[in-house]
Each structure stands twice: as structure tokens, then as C-alpha cells.
Amino acid sequence: MNIVSTIKEVRDAVAAWRKEGLTVGLVPTMGFLHEGHQSLIQKAVEENDRVVVSVFVNPTQFGPNEDFEAYPRDLDKDAALCESTGAHLIFHPEPEEMYPDGFCSYINMTELTGALCGKTRPIHFKGVCTVVGKLFNIVTPDKAYFGEKDAQQLAVIRRMVKDLNFGLTIVGCPIIREEDGLAKSSRNTYLNADERKAALVLSKAIFHGKEMVENGEKCADKILNEMKAIINAEPLARIDYVEMVNMDTMDNIDTVAGTTLCAMAVYIGKTRLIDNFIVEM
């Protein structure tokens, strides 16, 4: 496995693979990889001849006073995980490689991005779409792999690929959880012992809401109210949002129907965590 830092090196590697008739998978990440990322890499390795993992903390998706500088980084650990899982190339550029002087071209979606995380992180998806679009153009993968924990991001990327005619397939992969239910996240490392325990209210609320739906409840307000009550009972938790939306449009719904996303963002102390469940009716 090789680690490269320039766009030219990635393109040269992919060009050599294409000459051999090989398929290419891409797993975009911000690094500090865990078992959730590993499951994406594993899936990519199973479905492609060669796999590129990008490790890049993308500055354009962080707003003022967010955790860009503090975001955890450990390239040696990431490289060991990638190599053991079967990846072939890590693309680890500096910000200047991706955004050279004078950079002024962005992908700005007008739908799907204003709801949920977009309400409190208004520039986030502009940065996500731009960096992912650049990675698609640099790597030209056959398939790209994203986790369902970031369900809104997955929906946004799928729409971008459709709207802008990117010639690849987007593969969504299930949420990977700790044994006690907490969704795997690089930001879990921010939590102290008390906060780590308190963070379980997210998965507790998710499991309860999903169980309500499975037992036949379709009223969104009733489900959401019970989920919010679970979270509000935890003193260290502060809700950013808990909402039910149509997965395709991100519009709020009154009744569970079609493909429904129930998503939440909750602050545990100063750490913002997300979780969700998706149901098909």
C-alpha cells in the first residue's frame, strides 16, 4: 500500500490500474479511522480490484468556532488500519493541494442541505459537496462508499452524483456501533468518562423510536416526543435537532411513510454527536 500527497500521484496510479482493466473503489474519510470506516474499506475491497482511501480533514466544511483544528489526526494508525483491511492507496493531501491560491469554485446544492445539520452548519454541505466532487474527479472511481450514520450527507452526495452526471455508483453502508450501542465516531474521543456514559441516550432514543415504528406507530410527533424525553432526561445532553424527514427530499413529515429518516444531533457537553434510523414503509 502506498501513501501519496499529490493529485498527480493519484491520477498516475489510477491510470496504471485502468490500463490493466482494473476497477477502482473510493472511500472518502477525514481520518482518525475506526471500525465504521473499516467496514467501508472492507466493502470496497470486496467489490473492487483497487481501493483508494482519502484521508483529508477538509477545512471548507467547518464553520467558525467548529473543531477543525481540534479534529483528531493519526496518519500512522490510519495507514495500519487501511493496509490490514486491504486498501491499496491512501491519498493524504495538504489543504493547499486541494485548495490552491485563488480557489473560488464550489458545489452549492439548493435543496436537501438546509434541513437537519444544515440548519446549524450552513456552510457544511457546500464544503462536503466540493471536496467530494473534487475527489471523484481526481480518483474517477467506479464506486464510492459512505456510511449511513451520516444519512443526510449520503442523500446529498447521491443527489449531487445524479444532478451532475458523475459516472459512478454510491454505496451506503450500515452504522457500526460500540457494544453498548453508541454509534462509532471519531468525535467520541472528545468525551470524558461521564460524557461517554451520557452519550448512550442517543442510541437509547434511536432504538426506542425504531421500536415504536416497528410496533406500528406512524405518528411522527408521538415518536419524536418520546425520543426527546429520553434525551432530555440526561443532564449532560442538549438537543440540536431530533426530526423525521422524507429521505429523498429532507422535508419534515407528519406520518411515517415511504423511505423515512429519523435523525438527531445532540450535544454531550461540548461534543456534537449524530445518530439515526431509516425505515421503509
Side-chain angles (χ1 to χ4, degrees), residues 5-8 91 93-100 134 138:
S5 60
T6 68
I7 293 167
K8 182 180 185 303
F91 179 38
E94 293 297 323
E96 296 76 18
E97 179 73 7
M98 296 295 280
Y99 303 108
K134 286 176 68 69
I138 292 164

Side-chain angles (χ1 to χ4, degrees), residues 2-280:
N2 292 325
I3 301 174
V4 302
S5 60
T6 68
I7 293 167
K8 182 180 185 303
E9 288 172 300
V10 177
R11 286 181 164 161
D12 287 348
V14 172
W17 296 337
R18 294 299 190 192
K19 284 183 180 178
E20 298 180 52
L22 304 177
T23 59
V24 179
L26 169 66
V27 182
T29 83
M30 292 207 301
F32 210 72
L33 305 181
H34 50 66
E35 290 89 342
H37 300 105
Q38 189 171 29
S39 72
L40 304 182
I41 299 167
Q42 216 158 26
K43 184 73 169 172
V45 169
E46 291 170 3
E47 296 187 348
N48 302 273
D49 299 315
R50 296 290 184 268
V51 172
V52 178
V53 179
S54 63
V55 175
F56 178 60
V57 184
N58 175 39
T60 66
Q61 68 190 67
F62 290 81
N65 304 315
E66 291 188 348
D67 60 340
F68 172 69
E69 295 296 340
Y71 197 86
R73 296 160 169 88
D74 190 339
L75 183 60
D76 290 341
K77 178 173 171 285
D78 293 345
L81 184 147
C82 287
E83 187 160 29
S84 68
T85 311
H88 301 86
L89 186 73
I90 290 178
F91 179 38
H92 180 57
E94 293 297 323
E96 296 76 18
E97 179 73 7
M98 296 295 280
Y99 303 108
D101 285 345
F103 184 90
C104 60
S105 301
Y106 294 87
I107 299 174
N108 192 21
M109 189 177 292
T110 57
E111 304 291 336
L112 275 69
T113 58
L116 304 180
C117 286
K119 290 181 180 178
T120 52
R121 306 186 72 191
I123 71 165
H124 176 68
F125 288 111
K126 177 182 176 182
V128 168
C129 288
T130 300
V131 75
V132 171
K134 286 176 68 69
L135 289 169
F136 289 169
N137 283 331
I138 292 164
V139 180
T140 62
D142 298 285
K143 296 181 179 180
Y145 297 78
F146 295 84
E148 290 179 353
K149 182 173 76 71
D150 296 291
Q152 185 179 15
Q153 172 179 277
L154 178 58
V156 165
I157 296 302
R158 281 181 167 149
R159 176 65 66 83
M160 180 184 77
V161 165
K162 178 183 177 182
D163 288 354
L164 299 184
N165 306 110
F166 282 102
L168 74 155
T169 300
I170 300 300
V171 181
C173 298
I175 296 172
I176 303 298
R177 297 184 180 276
E178 304 281 359
E179 288 187 9
D180 58 10
L182 183 66
K184 293 274 188 180
S185 170
S186 299
R187 289 186 170 96
N188 289 348
T189 58
Y190 296 162
L191 304 170
N192 63 33
D194 289 339
E195 291 169 341
R196 175 63 179 76
K197 185 177 179 181
L200 292 178
V201 295
L202 278 84
S203 55
K204 184 178 179 182
I206 287 293
F207 296 154
H208 180 72
K210 187 174 183 181
E211 184 179 24
M212 289 180 71
V213 175
E214 290 171 347
N215 288 337
E217 183 59 64
K218 294 185 178 181
C219 176
D221 281 346
K222 185 172 182 180
I223 298 165
L224 294 173
N225 287 339
E226 292 196 19
M227 293 175 66
K228 290 174 184 177
I230 291 171
I231 298 166
N232 287 329
E234 170 51 60
L236 294 181
R238 176 171 60 87
I239 292 173
D240 182 354
Y241 66 81
V242 181
E243 297 185 24
M244 274 196 167
V245 299
N246 179 289
M247 185 69 180
D248 297 322
T249 65
M250 294 293 136
D251 292 334
N252 288 100
I253 59 172
D254 298 322
T255 304
V256 178
T259 304
T260 297
L261 167 65
C262 182
M264 63 172 62
V266 177
Y267 285 93
I268 303 295
K270 294 182 179 179
T271 303
R272 184 178 182 274
L273 301 176
I274 60 174
D275 205 341
N276 71 76
F277 69 88
I278 300 169
V279 292
E280 301 271 0

